[in-house]
Amino acid sequence: MRITPETKLTVFYCQNCFKEDSRILEAQMGSEVALYPIACSGRLDPLFILRAMEQGSDAVCLFVCDEGMCRYFEGNRRASKRVAYTRTLLDEIGIGGDRAFVRFLTESEKAKPVKMIAEALANARKLGPSPLKSASAKRRKK
């Protein structure tokens, strides 16, 4: 019997998106999800996404405020551009840009963080294990 590896999802989210504490959400979601609140999604550095992938994440999701609803006016647009840039980097190095994605949350979706995170995790499962995981496993065998 083949044991399938657990899917790992890293979620960065604007603190204005979800009002619940990240520790409470992580407890509800289990070990497959790591949550990192940030003051504004516009503060997300592409390096954070790359580092999450390097540390074993199969996918990285960024939850941002809906268009026109950013408290800091354009943080969500900046974040979207940074994720788009990171996606091109992930494609260029053969990991797959679809492993990094942004989700703009409406006011009604902000009230359902567990549902939104579960949808992102389902998306990550569809992608399968990250190519970095298999490369890492090969290095350990040598």
Side-chain angles (χ1 to χ4, degrees):
M1 182 171 133
R2 185 171 168 244
I3 299 173
T4 57
E6 188 176 66
T7 301
K8 297 282 187 192
L9 173 68
T10 299
V11 176
F12 294 101
Y13 67 95
C14 175
Q15 288 178 336
N16 296 309
C17 281
F18 300 142
K19 299 303 178 202
E20 290 186 46
D21 189 320
S22 63
R23 291 172 291 186
I24 294 169
L25 292 171
E26 279 181 336
Q28 291 175 329
M29 296 307 301
S31 63
E32 290 181 303
V33 178
L35 296 161
Y36 298 97
I38 48 182
C40 174
S41 58
R43 302 280 299 157
L44 182 77
D45 190 303
L47 187 60
F48 297 168
I49 297 170
L50 296 173
R51 185 70 42 92
M53 298 296 292
E54 179 185 53
Q55 292 180 352
S57 235
D58 294 303
V60 177
C61 180
L62 173 63
F63 289 113
V64 300
C65 300
D66 203 9
E67 291 287 334
M69 300 302 293
C70 179
R71 175 185 224 161
Y72 301 105
F73 305 109
E74 59 182 48
N76 52 3
R77 281 186 273 150
R78 281 188 187 143
S80 183
K81 288 178 184 177
R82 289 177 180 161
V83 171
Y85 169 72
T86 306
R87 289 174 65 114
T88 61
L89 292 176
L90 291 172
D91 277 335
E92 286 178 16
I93 61 177
I95 294 172
D98 52 346
R99 293 187 178 279
F101 48 95
V102 177
R103 182 77 200 281
F104 289 87
L105 297 179
T106 63
E107 285 302 315
S108 63
E109 290 172 328
K110 289 179 181 182
K112 306 171 196 163
V114 173
K115 180 179 184 240
M116 297 296 100
I117 295 167
E119 287 176 8
L121 184 57
N123 189 24
R125 285 186 181 125
K126 287 179 194 172
L127 297 171
S130 169
L132 286 176
K133 282 186 175 179
S134 59
S136 175
K138 286 178 186 176
R139 278 193 300 250
R140 278 185 261 148
K141 287 182 180 178
K142 289 183 179 180

